[in-house]
Amino acid sequence: MEPLVHVRDLKVRFVSRDSTVHAVNGVDFDLAPRETLCILGESGSGKSVTLRSLMRLNPPRLTKMTGTVRVGGHDLVTTSERSLADIRGSVVSMIFQEPMTALDPVFTIGMQIRETIRRHETISREDAERRALELLELVQIPSAKRRLAAYPHELSGGLRQRAMIAIALSCRPKLLLADEPTTALDATVQIQILLLLRKLQQDMGMGVIFVTHDLGVAAEIADRVAVMYAGRFIEEGPVSALMRDPLHPYAQGLLGATVHGGVRGKRLTTIPGAPPNLAQVPTGCAFAPRCAYVEPACLAAVPAARSPIPGRAARCIRVPDHAVSTAA
Amino acid sequence: MIVLTQTTEILRQLPDVGGPAQPLLTIRGLTKHFPLRSGLLGRSTGVVQAVDDISFDVRKGETLGLVGESGCGKSTTSRLIMALLEPTSGEVIFDGQAVGYGGLTLKEYRRQVQMVFQDSYSSLNPRLTVRDSIAFAPGVHGVARRSAVTRADELLEAVGLDPAQFGPRYPHELSGGQRQRINIARALALQPRLLILDEPVSALDKSVEAQVLNLLLDLKDQFGLTYLFISHDLNVVQYVSDRVLVMYLGRVAEIGPVDTIYNGAAHPYTAALLDSRPSMDPDRRRLEPPLQGDPPNPVNPPSGCRFRTRCLHAEAVCADKAPPLAPAGPEHLAACLMVLPGSGHSQAPKLAA
Ligand SMILES: Nc1ncnc2c1ncn2[C@@H]1O[C@H](COP(=O)(O)OP(=O)(O)O)[C@@H](O)[C@H]1O
Ligand SMILES: Nc1ncnc2c1ncn2[C@@H]1O[C@H](COP(=O)(O)OP(=O)(O)O)[C@@H](O)[C@H]1O
Ligand SMILES: [Mg+2]
Ligand SMILES: [Mg+2]
């Protein structure tokens, strides 16, 4: 069966007159239908740029995108702007950290959902209205009927997030992209939205790619996790296994630095140094300058993905390569 | 405790006044209501009850964690304590002395109480080098330029930055983590006794957050400091705090030793807040959100207990009576009628005869 998402050697550069940023430097992965992948990484590692590539949302003039990106059978690298407009919304859609980037402040929530549906389907006004109401109920907005007439600024933060989700789901996409949608929310609201997304994913049978810098969020929602560093997936695997026993030294460092209930009274482990400047692509392992286990071979070439167990892989030469390598 | 070299008298930490048993900071009935204005005439159309009659102590040498969701009044509390805002009512007492009005002057007080903000960028002057930023306050307090600069370099060293490399730089040439280290160095320049840290690591990446938290714990010992550590991050507060104060909609919900609160919260809001944390275990995920909806608006807070509109245990009496802080265990207070003997709530302890 063809995967829902098929990405090979995705590279994204931003080129302007006086600078080049190598934001994504060769990302490979597949996503099965109904699967949830979390992309976990620190700021600037290329999470959002990767996600936006799956809808070709990076600014066209500046962006050089190469490699293979197939979503629901569509080739996102070569397809025309015209067919992109059809794909966006009905095959793949996206939610963001800040709902106001996706909501239009001068139209009511109901109007925005109706218009999104009617852009993709020939449907009567009444049917669109009914679907809009169903969607607000689906995302568990209380007094949904009344809220159809509300403007975005009239809603609380949590309700706005739900309204944005309703719009993103209005054309029943097969793939939902989520860029830190709960990062700005308070704890009691964040867990509501996470559980809602988990339920919607199951009920609608969607694939989800969820970008986060928060390990706890990944633990609540992911089937698989990909850890991103300097524009590459440096480790990928099932969420439980990866959290229990990360393979890559960067993933180990990131997990060790995460403050959680069990670490009280212990000194936090830290990672020395800072991520590389992305003006050039490092020729070897991008983490080598910060790595406690570095050896000359690390600098010679970018480590290939090595898979010690089926389903897990890391780009580190110290990781044994046993399983017949699937994509990582 | 570090004794810095070449510092003049004014840069020594001021001595303890009331002894170890006297709280370093006492907050009594602190209240801040912001008027809401609208229309051309700016007529007042109500008030935001940002902080409403809160009282607590910060003990000498402890880290008191102040936690709560956004808008509950944490930053307003910190600005009131720093005297950056005029309170509607209430008082701030530092080591037994009232602040202002015949007590400690603001200048004396601010030497001993310093603050670090979340936004590392806006709190540094973009036109001053790092070294000059740190040396600025001691200069204002009459320290000669040369001693102030020497002192700045010692502090850069103390926060883990090479003075030769970082001293001449400007804020925009630094990463967020480096800027936060500079802010911490600057806050230490007057040898304060109390640091108020308002979300000091909330804007940082996880690996940098860990570095800054380690640094803050080291500096606390080296410089003999007391911390009021404000954060919305329950894990970070648990990690750094000796005691924890939980705020909800401008009021204190609960205060007590960190392990008491995290292992057995007495206030239903604290319990729900703690249960809202992601599980960190994919095999034991959360199944139900502990609370529905967002926190209500502090413009029109619910009568009585402010949490009652979201509380599973709310009864009619909760709308009538604002719960006072009542003992819930050793060193442990909670503002909930279920804790207050004879409050009228069906789950309250009976009054002793
Ligand atoms: N439109 C753009 N033009 C130039 N550089 C960009 C653009 N978008 C992102 N970048 C850069 O690409 C890198 C990766 O960014 P991003 O994917 O947003 O990181 P994150 O992992 O924090 O989401 C960063 O260095 C960022 O500054
Ligand atoms: N200068 C101000 N004028 C009016 N309202 C304010 C002002 N500062 C804060 N508030 C309001 O007071 C409440 C508490 O804010 P704040 O203390 O910043 O909360 P926190 O730091 O816990 O997020 C919020 O509702 C906020 O909108
Ligand atoms: Mg991003
Ligand atoms: Mg605040």
Side-chain angles (χ1 to χ4, degrees), chain B:
Chain B
M1 198 157 102
I2 273 192
V3 180
L4 294 160
T5 54
Q6 302 196 23
T7 48
T8 57
E9 184 60 28
I10 197 159
L11 287 176
R12 297 249 167 74
Q13 192 173 69
L14 291 181
D16 194 345
V17 178
Q22 171 159 284
L24 186 56
L25 190 74
T26 297
I27 302 302
R28 276 203 205 128
L30 203 58
T31 299
K32 182 69 190 181
H33 291 177
F34 292 107
L36 267 183
R37 297 187 189 285
S38 67
L40 282 176
L41 300 175
R43 270 181 308 141
S44 179
T45 53
V47 292
V48 186
Q49 302 188 15
V51 171
D52 198 55
D53 190 19
I54 65 173
S55 301
F56 61 92
D57 288 342
V58 184
R59 299 175 185 166
K60 285 176 182 160
E62 78 169 344
T63 296
L64 178 67
L66 174 50
V67 70
E69 296 180 276
S70 56
C72 73
K74 302 182 298 296
S75 294
T76 303
T77 301
S78 68
R79 287 198 288 267
L80 288 168
I81 295 174
M82 283 304 292
L84 298 170
L85 273 178
E86 186 74 23
T88 306
S89 59
E91 54 183 348
V92 174
I93 296 157
F94 187 81
D95 204 359
Q97 293 177 276
V99 177
Y101 306 112
L104 279 176
T105 66
L106 267 190
K107 191 171 175 186
E108 290 164 332
Y109 175 64
R110 290 222 178 102
R111 248 208 71 192
Q112 306 191 69
V113 184
Q114 287 284 313
M115 182 151 170
V116 175
F117 299 87
Q118 168 173 358
D119 181 353
S120 63
Y121 202 77
S122 71
S123 43
L124 288 172
N125 184 337
R127 282 182 294 276
L128 289 188
T129 63
V130 158
R131 184 175 280 129
D132 287 341
S133 268
I134 302 171
F136 185 80
V140 171
H141 280 261
V143 176
R145 161 107 191 134
R146 271 191 53 198
S147 326
V149 166
T150 310
R151 170 95 174 132
D153 284 359
E154 288 169 347
L155 286 164
L156 278 170
E157 199 100 55
V159 297
L161 297 174
D162 174 21
Q165 191 188 347
F166 288 93
R169 293 211 194 163
Y170 288 88
H172 71 268
E173 300 172 302
L174 304 171
S175 71
Q178 289 163 348
R179 276 199 299 271
Q180 206 57 307
R181 286 170 191 268
I182 304 297
N183 278 307
I184 293 165
R186 197 194 47 165
L188 295 176
L190 295 173
Q191 283 278 45
R193 297 171 69 195
L194 175 65
L195 269 197
I196 297 173
L197 303 148
D198 190 356
E199 308 264 9
V201 297
S202 300
L204 304 177
D205 268 320
K206 292 291 163 194
S207 66
V208 184
E209 171 182 279
Q211 293 170 2
V212 173
L213 289 175
N214 280 342
L215 173 69
L216 284 170
L217 295 187
D218 291 344
L219 294 173
K220 182 161 182 265
D221 286 345
Q222 286 173 20
F223 289 81
L225 296 166
T226 298
Y227 286 165
L228 176 60
F229 191 105
I230 300 172
S231 177
H232 70 282
D233 186 325
L234 294 150
N235 290 325
V236 169
V237 166
Q238 180 179 21
Y239 181 70
V240 300
S241 305
D242 299 305
R243 292 193 306 139
V244 174
L245 186 161
V246 182
M247 276 183 84
Y248 186 78
L249 268 188
R251 297 218 176 121
V252 178
E254 181 161 10
I255 183 168
V258 62
D259 291 333
T260 308
I261 301 261
Y262 278 73
N263 297 330
H267 197 292
Y269 173 64
T270 312
L273 192 61
L274 291 169
D275 283 344
S276 298
R277 286 179 298 173
S279 60
M280 293 305 280
D281 181 353
D283 302 322
R284 292 171 50 204
R285 289 183 171 165
R286 304 270 178 212
L287 300 174
E288 281 294 324
L291 291 181
Q292 300 298 330
D294 298 64
N297 194 319
V299 177
N300 265 317
S303 66
C305 171
R306 291 189 172 183
F307 182 58
R308 70 178 164 85
T309 51
R310 299 169 87 198
C311 183
L312 290 175
H313 310 282
E315 296 181 358
V317 63
C318 301
D320 300 335
K321 207 172 192 171
L325 278 171
E331 311 240 301
H332 183 191
L333 299 169
C336 173
L337 295 184
M338 292 193 293
V339 171
L340 182 71
S343 68
H345 193 286
S346 65
Q347 294 186 48
K350 300 278 169 288
L351 277 177

Side-chain angles (χ1 to χ4, degrees), chain A residues 65 101 148-150 163 216 266 286-287 290-291 300 317 319:
Chain A
M65 170 160 104
T101 55
L148 281 174
K266 301 189 194 115
F287 187 61
R290 308 172 72 185
C291 184
I317 59 164
V319 171

